[in-house]
Amino acid sequence: MYEQRTEIMQNVFLTYLPASKFKTSVLSAHLVTPLSKETASANALLPAVLRRGTMRCPDMESLSAALDTLYGAQIDYTVRKKGERQCIGFVASVIDDAFAPAGEELLEPVADLLGELFLDPVTRNGRFLAEYVDSEKQNLIDAIRAIRNDKQDWADVRLMQEMCAGEPYGVLRLGDEESAAKINNHKLFNHYRELLATSRVEMFYCGSAKQERVQGALCRAIAALPRGVVTEGEPIRRIAAPEQPRYLTEEMDVTQGKLSMGWRCGTDDVPAMIMANLIFGGTSNAKLFLNVREKMSLCYYASSSYARSKGIMTVSSGIETKDFQKAHDEILHQLELVKQGQWEDWELQGALATMCSSLTSLSDSQGALENYCLGQTAIGAEDTPEDLMAALHQVTPERIRKAALSCQLDTVFFLKGKEAATC
Protein backbone atom coordinates (compact mmCIF):
# COMPACT_ATOMS: atom_id res chain seq x y z
CA MET A 1 0.00 0.00 0.00
CA TYR A 2 2.77 2.44 0.87
CA GLU A 3 4.29 1.96 -2.60
CA GLN A 4 1.02 3.43 -3.90
CA ARG A 5 0.95 6.36 -1.45
CA THR A 6 2.41 9.60 -2.80
CA GLU A 7 2.76 13.07 -1.31
CA ILE A 8 1.10 15.22 -3.97
CA MET A 9 1.24 18.49 -1.99
CA GLN A 10 2.72 19.53 1.35
CA ASN A 11 1.37 16.98 3.84
CA VAL A 12 -1.29 15.87 1.34
CA PHE A 13 -1.08 12.19 0.42
CA LEU A 14 -2.78 10.16 -2.28
CA THR A 15 -3.15 6.39 -1.96
CA TYR A 16 -3.79 5.05 -5.44
CA LEU A 17 -5.57 1.69 -5.65
CA PRO A 18 -5.99 0.70 -9.30
CA ALA A 19 -8.98 -1.54 -10.01
CA SER A 20 -10.82 -2.29 -13.21
CA LYS A 21 -13.35 -4.83 -11.88
CA PHE A 22 -15.69 -2.26 -10.34
CA LYS A 23 -18.32 -0.28 -12.21
CA THR A 24 -17.75 2.68 -9.92
CA SER A 25 -14.79 4.76 -8.86
CA VAL A 26 -14.35 5.79 -5.24
CA LEU A 27 -12.57 9.01 -4.36
CA SER A 28 -12.20 10.20 -0.78
CA ALA A 29 -10.45 12.97 1.12
CA HIS A 30 -9.92 13.23 4.88
CA LEU A 31 -8.43 15.66 7.36
CA VAL A 32 -6.47 13.60 9.90
CA THR A 33 -6.12 15.32 13.26
CA PRO A 34 -5.34 14.33 16.85
CA LEU A 35 -8.38 13.10 18.77
CA SER A 36 -9.07 15.26 21.79
CA LYS A 37 -11.99 16.10 24.04
CA GLU A 38 -11.62 19.81 23.29
CA THR A 39 -12.02 19.54 19.51
CA ALA A 40 -13.80 16.22 18.82
CA SER A 41 -17.32 17.69 18.66
CA ALA A 42 -16.32 20.60 16.42
CA ASN A 43 -14.44 18.22 14.13
CA ALA A 44 -17.45 15.89 13.95
CA LEU A 45 -19.81 18.78 13.18
CA LEU A 46 -17.67 20.34 10.46
CA PRO A 47 -18.14 17.88 7.54
CA ALA A 48 -21.92 17.81 8.12
CA VAL A 49 -22.02 21.60 7.77
CA LEU A 50 -19.69 21.60 4.75
CA ARG A 51 -21.93 19.01 3.06
CA ARG A 52 -24.87 21.44 3.19
CA GLY A 53 -23.58 23.44 0.25
CA THR A 54 -20.89 25.39 -1.59
CA MET A 55 -20.87 28.90 -3.02
CA ARG A 56 -21.72 27.43 -6.43
CA CYS A 57 -24.32 25.04 -5.01
CA PRO A 58 -25.48 26.81 -1.85
CA ASP A 59 -28.09 24.30 -0.66
CA MET A 60 -28.83 20.58 -0.66
CA GLU A 61 -31.17 20.91 -3.64
CA SER A 62 -28.62 22.51 -5.94
CA LEU A 63 -25.88 20.19 -4.67
CA SER A 64 -28.07 17.16 -5.45
CA ALA A 65 -28.77 18.58 -8.90
CA ALA A 66 -25.03 18.90 -9.55
CA LEU A 67 -24.51 15.27 -8.53
CA ASP A 68 -27.42 14.19 -10.75
CA THR A 69 -25.64 15.67 -13.79
CA LEU A 70 -22.81 13.24 -12.96
CA TYR A 71 -25.13 10.26 -13.43
CA GLY A 72 -26.18 10.04 -9.82
CA ALA A 73 -22.78 10.40 -8.20
CA GLN A 74 -22.80 10.40 -4.40
CA ILE A 75 -20.72 12.30 -1.87
CA ASP A 76 -21.18 11.42 1.80
CA TYR A 77 -19.42 12.91 4.79
CA THR A 78 -17.67 10.67 7.32
CA VAL A 79 -16.33 10.99 10.85
CA ARG A 80 -14.05 8.14 11.86
CA LYS A 81 -11.87 7.32 14.85
CA LYS A 82 -8.65 5.52 13.97
CA GLY A 83 -6.51 4.82 17.01
CA GLU A 84 -6.05 8.23 18.62
CA ARG A 85 -6.71 10.12 15.41
CA GLN A 86 -9.98 11.62 14.21
CA CYS A 87 -10.55 11.48 10.46
CA ILE A 88 -13.20 13.75 8.94
CA GLY A 89 -13.97 14.19 5.29
CA PHE A 90 -15.91 12.97 2.29
CA VAL A 91 -16.25 9.79 0.26
CA ALA A 92 -17.42 10.13 -3.35
CA SER A 93 -18.71 7.34 -5.56
CA VAL A 94 -19.31 7.78 -9.29
CA ILE A 95 -19.65 5.62 -12.38
CA ASP A 96 -16.18 4.57 -13.45
CA ASP A 97 -15.10 6.27 -16.65
CA ALA A 98 -14.78 2.87 -18.31
CA PHE A 99 -18.58 2.50 -18.00
CA ALA A 100 -19.62 6.14 -18.49
CA PRO A 101 -21.89 6.92 -21.46
CA ALA A 102 -20.03 7.94 -24.59
CA GLY A 103 -16.71 7.72 -22.76
CA GLU A 104 -17.49 10.79 -20.68
CA GLU A 105 -14.85 11.65 -18.08
CA LEU A 106 -16.42 11.96 -14.62
CA LEU A 107 -13.34 11.88 -12.39
CA GLU A 108 -12.44 15.56 -12.84
CA PRO A 109 -15.88 17.07 -12.11
CA VAL A 110 -16.29 14.85 -9.04
CA ALA A 111 -12.84 15.86 -7.79
CA ASP A 112 -13.75 19.53 -8.40
CA LEU A 113 -16.93 19.18 -6.37
CA LEU A 114 -15.02 17.46 -3.59
CA GLY A 115 -12.59 20.38 -3.56
CA GLU A 116 -15.45 22.89 -3.43
CA LEU A 117 -16.96 21.17 -0.39
CA PHE A 118 -13.66 21.52 1.44
CA LEU A 119 -12.47 24.91 0.22
CA ASP A 120 -15.47 26.93 -0.97
CA PRO A 121 -18.33 26.27 1.46
CA VAL A 122 -21.37 28.54 1.43
CA THR A 123 -20.79 31.46 3.82
CA ARG A 124 -22.42 34.73 4.80
CA ASN A 125 -20.48 37.68 6.21
CA GLY A 126 -17.33 35.64 6.62
CA ARG A 127 -18.82 32.72 8.51
CA PHE A 128 -20.97 29.64 8.02
CA LEU A 129 -24.72 30.04 7.75
CA ALA A 130 -26.13 30.00 11.27
CA GLU A 131 -29.18 27.98 10.21
CA TYR A 132 -26.94 25.24 8.76
CA VAL A 133 -24.75 25.10 11.85
CA ASP A 134 -27.69 25.05 14.26
CA SER A 135 -29.47 22.33 12.31
CA GLU A 136 -26.45 20.07 12.05
CA LYS A 137 -25.47 20.78 15.66
CA GLN A 138 -28.83 19.44 16.80
CA ASN A 139 -28.34 16.37 14.60
CA LEU A 140 -24.94 15.81 16.21
CA ILE A 141 -26.35 16.14 19.72
CA ASP A 142 -29.13 13.71 18.84
CA ALA A 143 -26.56 11.24 17.48
CA ILE A 144 -24.50 11.47 20.69
CA ARG A 145 -27.61 10.93 22.82
CA ALA A 146 -28.66 7.99 20.64
CA ILE A 147 -25.55 6.04 21.64
CA ARG A 148 -27.24 5.41 24.99
CA ASN A 149 -30.17 3.74 23.23
CA ASP A 150 -28.05 0.77 22.15
CA LYS A 151 -27.18 -0.63 25.53
CA GLN A 152 -24.44 -2.94 24.20
CA ASP A 153 -22.71 -0.01 22.50
CA TRP A 154 -23.22 2.15 25.57
CA ALA A 155 -21.57 -0.41 27.87
CA ASP A 156 -18.61 -0.66 25.49
CA VAL A 157 -18.36 3.14 25.30
CA ARG A 158 -18.46 3.47 29.07
CA LEU A 159 -15.76 0.82 29.41
CA MET A 160 -13.43 2.81 27.15
CA GLN A 161 -14.28 6.09 28.86
CA GLU A 162 -13.36 4.64 32.24
CA MET A 163 -10.46 2.47 31.13
CA CYS A 164 -8.87 5.24 29.05
CA ALA A 165 -9.88 8.24 31.14
CA GLY A 166 -7.42 11.05 30.43
CA GLU A 167 -6.23 9.35 27.22
CA PRO A 168 -7.31 10.44 23.71
CA TYR A 169 -8.49 6.88 23.06
CA GLY A 170 -11.27 7.37 25.61
CA VAL A 171 -12.83 10.23 23.59
CA LEU A 172 -15.92 9.41 21.54
CA ARG A 173 -15.77 9.69 17.76
CA LEU A 174 -18.51 12.34 17.86
CA GLY A 175 -17.26 14.13 20.95
CA ASP A 176 -19.63 14.96 23.80
CA GLU A 177 -22.96 16.75 24.10
CA GLU A 178 -21.71 19.56 26.35
CA SER A 179 -18.96 20.58 23.93
CA ALA A 180 -21.29 20.34 20.93
CA ALA A 181 -23.86 22.62 22.55
CA LYS A 182 -21.28 25.44 22.88
CA ILE A 183 -20.47 25.58 19.14
CA ASN A 184 -21.77 28.46 17.00
CA ASN A 185 -21.20 29.39 13.37
CA HIS A 186 -18.45 31.91 14.18
CA LYS A 187 -16.46 29.48 16.37
CA LEU A 188 -16.90 26.66 13.87
CA PHE A 189 -15.69 28.76 10.93
CA ASN A 190 -12.54 29.81 12.79
CA HIS A 191 -11.93 26.18 13.75
CA TYR A 192 -12.45 25.14 10.13
CA ARG A 193 -9.80 27.55 8.86
CA GLU A 194 -7.28 26.37 11.44
CA LEU A 195 -8.05 22.71 10.78
CA LEU A 196 -7.52 23.09 7.02
CA ALA A 197 -4.06 24.55 7.57
CA THR A 198 -2.85 22.22 10.31
CA SER A 199 -4.24 18.80 9.34
CA ARG A 200 -2.56 16.09 7.34
CA VAL A 201 -4.74 15.21 4.35
CA GLU A 202 -5.18 11.62 3.23
CA MET A 203 -6.84 11.00 -0.14
CA PHE A 204 -7.77 7.69 -1.75
CA TYR A 205 -8.75 6.62 -5.22
CA CYS A 206 -9.97 3.20 -6.34
CA GLY A 207 -10.90 2.84 -9.99
CA SER A 208 -9.57 2.44 -13.51
CA ALA A 209 -8.10 5.91 -14.15
CA LYS A 210 -4.34 6.28 -14.45
CA GLN A 211 -2.48 7.58 -11.40
CA GLU A 212 -1.15 10.67 -13.18
CA ARG A 213 -4.67 11.69 -14.14
CA VAL A 214 -6.03 11.17 -10.62
CA GLN A 215 -3.16 13.14 -9.12
CA GLY A 216 -3.64 15.98 -11.59
CA ALA A 217 -7.38 16.17 -10.94
CA LEU A 218 -6.92 16.31 -7.18
CA CYS A 219 -4.07 18.83 -7.28
CA ARG A 220 -6.25 21.17 -9.32
CA ALA A 221 -9.26 20.64 -7.07
CA ILE A 222 -7.42 21.50 -3.85
CA ALA A 223 -4.85 23.94 -5.21
CA ALA A 224 -6.11 26.62 -2.80
CA LEU A 225 -5.72 24.41 0.27
CA PRO A 226 -3.87 26.44 2.93
CA ARG A 227 -0.82 24.71 4.38
CA GLY A 228 0.79 25.54 7.70
CA VAL A 229 2.56 23.56 10.39
CA VAL A 230 0.76 20.25 10.52
CA THR A 231 -0.29 19.00 13.96
CA GLU A 232 0.26 15.24 14.11
CA GLY A 233 -0.27 14.80 17.83
CA GLU A 234 1.59 12.59 20.26
CA PRO A 235 2.49 9.01 19.33
CA ILE A 236 -0.08 6.50 20.56
CA ARG A 237 0.89 5.53 24.10
CA ARG A 238 0.66 2.07 25.59
CA ILE A 239 -0.50 2.26 29.21
CA ALA A 240 0.09 -0.49 31.77
CA ALA A 241 -2.88 -1.99 33.62
CA PRO A 242 -3.29 -1.10 37.33
CA GLU A 243 -2.16 -3.64 39.91
CA GLN A 244 -5.80 -4.38 40.71
CA PRO A 245 -8.50 -4.18 38.02
CA ARG A 246 -11.20 -1.55 38.43
CA TYR A 247 -14.85 -2.64 38.74
CA LEU A 248 -17.65 -0.23 37.88
CA THR A 249 -21.41 -0.73 37.83
CA GLU A 250 -24.06 1.50 36.28
CA GLU A 251 -27.84 1.15 36.41
CA MET A 252 -30.22 1.74 33.51
CA ASP A 253 -33.63 0.51 32.39
CA VAL A 254 -32.35 -2.73 30.86
CA THR A 255 -33.70 -6.26 31.06
CA GLN A 256 -30.39 -7.80 30.02
CA GLY A 257 -27.15 -6.97 31.78
CA LYS A 258 -24.19 -5.83 29.70
CA LEU A 259 -20.75 -6.97 30.84
CA SER A 260 -17.76 -5.30 29.20
CA MET A 261 -14.18 -6.12 30.16
CA GLY A 262 -10.89 -4.59 29.04
CA TRP A 263 -7.28 -5.82 29.11
CA ARG A 264 -4.01 -4.04 28.40
CA CYS A 265 -1.81 -6.15 26.12
CA GLY A 266 1.89 -5.70 26.75
CA THR A 267 3.14 -7.58 23.70
CA ASP A 268 4.62 -6.01 20.58
CA ASP A 269 3.92 -9.21 18.63
CA VAL A 270 0.80 -7.94 16.86
CA PRO A 271 0.19 -10.97 14.58
CA ALA A 272 0.39 -13.32 17.58
CA MET A 273 -1.96 -11.13 19.61
CA ILE A 274 -4.43 -11.05 16.71
CA MET A 275 -4.43 -14.85 16.72
CA ALA A 276 -4.78 -15.01 20.52
CA ASN A 277 -7.81 -12.74 20.35
CA LEU A 278 -9.40 -14.78 17.55
CA ILE A 279 -9.01 -18.03 19.47
CA PHE A 280 -10.31 -16.40 22.64
CA GLY A 281 -13.41 -14.66 21.32
CA GLY A 282 -12.94 -13.16 17.87
CA THR A 283 -14.93 -15.67 15.82
CA SER A 284 -18.06 -17.84 16.03
CA ASN A 285 -15.77 -20.84 16.69
CA ALA A 286 -13.90 -19.10 19.52
CA LYS A 287 -13.81 -20.21 23.13
CA LEU A 288 -16.16 -17.51 24.37
CA PHE A 289 -18.85 -18.40 21.85
CA LEU A 290 -18.58 -22.19 22.07
CA ASN A 291 -18.14 -22.46 25.83
CA VAL A 292 -19.46 -19.43 27.69
CA ARG A 293 -22.42 -18.92 25.36
CA GLU A 294 -23.24 -22.31 23.83
CA LYS A 295 -22.19 -24.96 26.36
CA MET A 296 -22.71 -23.04 29.62
CA SER A 297 -25.46 -20.64 28.47
CA LEU A 298 -24.03 -17.85 30.61
CA CYS A 299 -24.24 -15.18 27.89
CA TYR A 300 -26.72 -14.18 25.23
CA TYR A 301 -23.68 -13.13 23.22
CA ALA A 302 -19.98 -12.90 23.96
CA SER A 303 -17.14 -11.78 21.72
CA SER A 304 -13.74 -10.15 21.98
CA SER A 305 -11.92 -7.58 19.88
CA TYR A 306 -8.33 -6.34 19.73
CA ALA A 307 -7.32 -2.73 19.03
CA ARG A 308 -3.80 -3.24 17.74
CA SER A 309 -2.83 0.42 17.66
CA LYS A 310 -3.58 0.85 21.36
CA GLY A 311 -2.77 -2.65 22.61
CA ILE A 312 -6.21 -3.15 24.15
CA MET A 313 -8.41 -6.26 24.08
CA THR A 314 -12.05 -6.06 25.11
CA VAL A 315 -14.91 -8.47 25.69
CA SER A 316 -18.54 -7.49 25.10
CA SER A 317 -21.31 -9.74 26.46
CA GLY A 318 -24.97 -9.78 27.41
CA ILE A 319 -25.90 -11.69 30.56
CA GLU A 320 -28.53 -12.17 33.25
CA THR A 321 -27.64 -10.00 36.22
CA LYS A 322 -27.66 -12.99 38.55
CA ASP A 323 -24.98 -14.64 36.39
CA PHE A 324 -22.49 -11.76 36.64
CA GLN A 325 -19.90 -13.56 38.76
CA LYS A 326 -20.19 -16.86 36.89
CA ALA A 327 -19.87 -15.17 33.51
CA HIS A 328 -17.02 -12.95 34.71
CA ASP A 329 -15.09 -15.91 36.11
CA GLU A 330 -15.68 -18.11 33.07
CA ILE A 331 -14.54 -15.40 30.66
CA LEU A 332 -11.32 -15.11 32.64
CA HIS A 333 -11.01 -18.91 32.66
CA GLN A 334 -11.28 -19.12 28.88
CA LEU A 335 -8.54 -16.50 28.52
CA GLU A 336 -6.41 -18.48 30.97
CA LEU A 337 -6.76 -21.51 28.69
CA VAL A 338 -5.38 -19.45 25.80
CA LYS A 339 -2.52 -18.28 28.03
CA GLN A 340 -1.71 -21.92 28.82
CA GLY A 341 -1.82 -22.91 25.14
CA GLN A 342 -4.83 -25.16 25.68
CA TRP A 343 -6.58 -25.19 22.34
CA GLU A 344 -7.12 -27.71 19.60
CA ASP A 345 -5.51 -27.48 16.19
CA TRP A 346 -8.91 -26.91 14.57
CA GLU A 347 -9.35 -23.80 16.76
CA LEU A 348 -6.06 -22.37 15.51
CA GLN A 349 -6.73 -23.22 11.89
CA GLY A 350 -10.28 -21.90 12.07
CA ALA A 351 -9.09 -18.60 13.51
CA LEU A 352 -6.43 -18.25 10.83
CA ALA A 353 -8.88 -19.10 8.04
CA THR A 354 -11.42 -16.59 9.32
CA MET A 355 -8.91 -13.76 9.49
CA CYS A 356 -7.39 -14.52 6.11
CA SER A 357 -10.83 -14.70 4.53
CA SER A 358 -11.67 -11.29 5.99
CA LEU A 359 -8.43 -9.79 4.68
CA THR A 360 -8.86 -11.36 1.25
CA SER A 361 -12.40 -10.01 0.93
CA LEU A 362 -11.17 -6.43 1.36
CA SER A 363 -10.29 -6.32 -2.33
CA ASP A 364 -13.91 -7.11 -3.20
CA SER A 365 -15.26 -3.92 -1.63
CA GLN A 366 -14.03 -0.44 -2.46
CA GLY A 367 -15.52 0.88 0.77
CA ALA A 368 -13.85 -1.75 2.94
CA LEU A 369 -10.52 -1.25 1.18
CA GLU A 370 -10.71 2.53 1.57
CA ASN A 371 -11.54 2.16 5.27
CA TYR A 372 -8.63 -0.23 5.84
CA CYS A 373 -6.17 2.07 4.06
CA LEU A 374 -7.36 5.11 5.99
CA GLY A 375 -6.89 3.24 9.25
CA GLN A 376 -3.36 2.27 8.29
CA THR A 377 -2.25 5.71 7.13
CA ALA A 378 -3.93 7.47 10.05
CA ILE A 379 -1.94 5.56 12.67
CA GLY A 380 1.26 5.22 10.63
CA ALA A 381 1.01 1.46 10.01
CA GLU A 382 2.60 0.09 6.85
CA ASP A 383 1.40 -3.48 6.38
CA THR A 384 -0.91 -4.32 3.50
CA PRO A 385 -3.58 -7.03 3.84
CA GLU A 386 -1.17 -9.37 2.05
CA ASP A 387 1.64 -8.48 4.47
CA LEU A 388 -0.59 -9.19 7.45
CA MET A 389 -1.76 -12.52 6.03
CA ALA A 390 1.83 -13.62 5.47
CA ALA A 391 2.73 -12.60 9.04
CA LEU A 392 -0.24 -14.50 10.48
CA HIS A 393 0.83 -17.70 8.72
CA GLN A 394 4.22 -17.46 10.45
CA VAL A 395 2.75 -17.24 13.96
CA THR A 396 3.53 -20.24 16.16
CA PRO A 397 1.48 -21.58 19.10
CA GLU A 398 4.23 -20.49 21.50
CA ARG A 399 4.07 -16.91 20.22
CA ILE A 400 0.28 -16.92 20.67
CA ARG A 401 0.63 -18.17 24.23
CA LYS A 402 3.24 -15.51 25.07
CA ALA A 403 1.09 -12.77 23.55
CA ALA A 404 -1.91 -13.89 25.62
CA LEU A 405 0.22 -13.98 28.76
CA SER A 406 0.92 -10.26 28.31
CA CYS A 407 -2.79 -9.41 28.77
CA GLN A 408 -3.65 -7.90 32.13
CA LEU A 409 -7.21 -7.11 33.18
CA ASP A 410 -7.65 -3.35 33.52
CA THR A 411 -11.34 -2.51 33.88
CA VAL A 412 -14.68 -4.32 34.22
CA PHE A 413 -17.87 -2.38 33.49
CA PHE A 414 -21.30 -3.83 34.25
CA LEU A 415 -24.56 -2.25 33.07
CA LYS A 416 -27.51 -3.67 35.00
CA GLY A 417 -31.22 -3.01 35.42
CA LYS A 418 -32.34 -0.53 38.08
CA GLU A 419 -34.43 -3.14 39.84
CA ALA A 420 -31.69 -5.80 39.73
CA ALA A 421 -30.12 -7.04 42.92
CA THR A 422 -26.57 -5.93 43.63
CA CYS A 423 -24.15 -8.30 41.90
Side-chain angles (χ1 to χ4, degrees), residues 245-306:
R246 293 164 289 191
Y247 285 81
L248 303 114
T249 300
E250 188 173 300
E251 293 184 349
M252 290 183 74
D253 287 325
V254 294
T255 56
Q256 182 187 113
K258 308 297 180 184
L259 173 59
S260 295
M261 306 171 69
W263 290 260
R264 302 279 186 173
C265 308
T267 182
D268 291 325
D269 192 345
V270 170
M273 191 61 230
I274 289 174
M275 292 300 300
N277 171 68
L278 290 169
I279 294 171
F280 174 46
T283 74
S284 59
N285 288 318
K287 289 185 178 295
L288 290 184
F289 186 88
L290 295 180
N291 296 297
V292 185
R293 182 184 185 275
E294 295 293 296
K295 290 183 181 179
M296 304 183 73
S297 299
L298 287 173
C299 299
Y300 294 101
Y301 61 87
S303 62
S304 67
S305 60
Y306 171 57

Side-chain angles (χ1 to χ4, degrees), residues 326-345:
K326 289 181 181 178
H328 167 275
D329 293 348
E330 190 56 37
I331 288 170
L332 291 180
H333 174 63
Q334 294 301 320
L335 179 57
E336 187 62 31
L337 294 178
V338 181
K339 291 181 177 182
Q340 295 173 8
Q342 294 186 30
W343 63 77
E344 301 294 333
D345 187 60

